[in-house]
Structure formats: C-alpha cells, structure tokens
C-alpha cells in the first residue's frame, strides 16, 4: 500500500507573511470548516472502535490514550476531563505522552523516537487484555506509539488509533484505525491545526459516546459530574429542579444532602 503524508504536503496558500490579519483568519477559518466533513467520513471507523471500548470498560477494563506532542496532550486533556464530567475514577481513562508528564508543558527531545518507552509506560499500569489502547498521531509514524501498539497486538490487547494520513504505519498496526484525512495545513506541516482539531473532535466522540453507553448520562444531563466548584453546584441544582419540577431551594437541599445530582433525583422521586 502507498503511504503519502498529506499532513506534510505544501499548504494551498503562499506568501502568508504578505497577508493581512483578516486574510490570515479567513483562510484558516476556511480550512477549519473542512474538518468536520473529514470526520464525518470516518464515522464508521469511529463506531467500530467505540463498540470495542464500551465492551472492555463494561467488563472492568480501562481506556489508554498515547501520543507525542500535540497528539499526546490532546489525549491527556480528554482523559483528564472524564472524572469531573462523568464522575468516573481517574484510572478509567488514562492519557500517556512521550517524555512523561513534563512533556505536557514543554517538548522533550527525541522522546517520540523511542521504540521501547511506549510499551514500558503501558507496563507501569499493569496493562492487560482487559484494556484498550488508542494511539494518537497525526502523521501515523510516531515510533513511541506505533511500537507500543505493535506490542499490544502480540499480547491480545485491543488497539485503535487516530491519525490524519491514509495507510500510515500506525493505521496498519492498529486493529481499529480511525483515519481523518484533513489534507495539507494552512501553515505547512503544522499538524496542531486541522489535524489537532480533527483529533479533538474524535476524542470528544469516543469518550462522550462511551460514557453514555456506560450509563453515566441521564436524558442529556451530566448527572454524575463532580461538584467541584460553585458553577457546577449551581448547574447541578438546575438539573434537579428541571428533573423533579421543584423549587431551587428544595433542589439545593437535596443536593446538599446527597452530594450527587443522580442520587438527589433518585431520592427526590421516592
């Protein structure tokens, strides 16, 4: 199979430094508009991976994201938002980045080039066939990710990926590849742009759909969210008011007593 890095191809736009701010913004926006349509073409692939993730998580497994640079940071972002949004434990969805936690803020030289560290990072979490590992790499060539997924395959661990190139080494390694082909970036090779946006959209789909399937949402509400600040407490009160058709005072009293929107609604109906 041929492999062409469309994410590295020359931008459709030239002489960027001669553009006005308005021209730059308009052209970036025009490129960004194409991303959801590229994601739409990948919905069947995304569905297949989510089905496997739901099955594993229902049976005590975990979801791992792993990547380098922007891709790794996006995985960590999505994983870190699952506990406050859906009330799940911090070890249900785990994000790993080449170079470790220090690479979240600052690039770590050559970390993504290691052919062994990805698997070592997974082993530190006692990875097993109960889990799912999703590699994230716009290029689809990151050794840290590709080699880790290859090792997972040899140990009957379900693997998926999110990449923005067709028939990349990562796509060919993952059992359930997701390929969102966004084409050349406005700024040649800057895959934090359209490719990063595409990855974020897919990650939103993966965890949101998975958590809904796991029963962490009621109607369209985040009834298991953590009440970690005043904004979320007020949101929880409004949810209870709407569900039970009761006053703000009564809803606040229920929430104060039960410390959970879901439990408040259950007890309020009894």
């Amino acid at each position: 199979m041929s492999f062409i890095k469309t994410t590295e191809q020359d931008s459709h736009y030239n002489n960027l430094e001669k553009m006005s701010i308005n021209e730059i913004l308009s052209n970036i926006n025009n490129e960004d508009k194409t991303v959801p349509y590229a994601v739409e073409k990948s919905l069947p692939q995304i569905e297949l991976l989510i089905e496997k993730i739901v099955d594993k998580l229902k049976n005590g497994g975990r979801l791992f994201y792993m990547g380098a640079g922007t891709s790794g940071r996006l995985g960590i972002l999505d994983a870190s938002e699952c506990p406050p949004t859906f009330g799940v434990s911090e070890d249900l969805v785990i994000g790993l980045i080449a170079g470790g936690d220090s690479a979240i803020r600052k690039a770590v030289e050559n970390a993504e080039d290691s052919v062994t560290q990805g698997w070592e990072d997974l082993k530190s979490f006692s990875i097993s066939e109960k889990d799912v590992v999703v590699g994230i790499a716009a290029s689809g060539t990151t050794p840290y990710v590709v080699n880790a997924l290859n090792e997972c395959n040899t140990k009957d661990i379900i693997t998926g990926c999110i990449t923005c190139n067709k028939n990349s080494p990562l796509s060919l390694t993952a059992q359930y590849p997701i390929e969102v082909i966004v084409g050349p970036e406005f700024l040649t090779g800057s895959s934090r742009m359209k490719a990063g946006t595409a990855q974020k959209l897919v990650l939103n789909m993966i965890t949101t759909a998975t958590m809904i399937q796991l029963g962490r949402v009621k109607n369209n509400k985040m009834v298991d969210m953590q009440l970690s600040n005043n904004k979320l407490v007020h949101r929880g009160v409004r949810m209870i008011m709407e569900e039970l058709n009761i006053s703000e005072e009564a809803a606040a009293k229920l929430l104060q007593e039960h410390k959970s929107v879901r439990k408040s609604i259950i007890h309020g109906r009894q």
Side-chain angles (χ1 to χ4, degrees), residues 5 9 41 44 55 81 99 109 116 208:
K5 278 191 184 182
Q9 289 181 340
K41 294 177 182 177
D55 179 62
E81 290 179 343
E109 291 286 334
T116 58
T208 303

Side-chain angles (χ1 to χ4, degrees), residues 43-210:
L43 290 180
Q45 293 180 322
I46 300 170
E47 182 180 4
L48 286 175
L49 177 56
I50 292 174
E51 286 175 348
K52 292 298 177 181
I53 293 170
V54 171
D55 179 62
K56 289 295 184 180
L57 267 57
K58 280 184 175 179
N59 288 283
R62 298 164 295 174
L63 169 60
F64 287 84
Y65 293 134
M66 61 188 316
T70 297
S71 297
R73 295 182 189 104
L74 287 170
I76 288 171
L77 172 63
D78 196 63
S80 67
E81 290 179 343
C82 287
T85 304
F86 301 107
V88 296
S89 65
E90 293 183 357
D91 61 357
L92 184 66
V93 184
I94 299 167
L96 302 177
I97 185 170
D101 286 352
S102 61
I104 297 172
R105 290 183 177 273
K106 186 177 179 180
V108 175
E109 291 286 334
N110 302 318
E112 69 176 66
D113 297 327
S114 173
V115 298
T116 58
Q117 191 58 51
W119 177 244
E120 291 300 318
D121 288 348
L122 287 171
K123 282 202 302 183
S124 71
F125 287 88
S126 300
I127 188 83
S128 77
E129 67 277 1
K130 294 172 62 177
D131 303 315
V132 180
V133 179
V134 177
I136 312 170
S139 67
T141 60
T142 308
Y144 172 83
V145 179
V146 175
N147 287 279
L149 261 62
N150 187 58
E151 194 68 32
C152 288
N153 289 338
T154 67
K155 294 173 172 56
D156 296 322
I157 298 168
I158 294 290
T159 57
C161 76
I162 306 169
T163 183
C164 295
N165 284 313
K166 192 77 174 174
N167 296 327
S168 70
L170 183 58
S171 298
L172 299 177
T173 300
Q175 299 162 25
Y176 296 91
I178 296 170
E179 298 173 316
V180 185
I181 312 305
V182 295
E185 298 285 2
F186 171 76
L187 180 62
T188 299
S190 184
S191 55
R192 68 186 179 86
M193 301 186 77
K194 288 193 300 181
T197 300
Q199 291 171 332
K200 181 65 169 73
L201 291 175
V202 174
L203 289 166
N204 287 348
M205 290 178 170
I206 289 173
T207 46
T208 303
T210 295

Side-chain angles (χ1 to χ4, degrees), residues 13 23-34 186:
Y13 305 83
E23 288 172 325
I24 293 170
L25 298 181
S26 295
N27 289 328
I28 290 175
N29 184 238
N30 285 334
E31 288 299 306
D32 287 344
K33 288 175 184 176
T34 68
F186 171 76

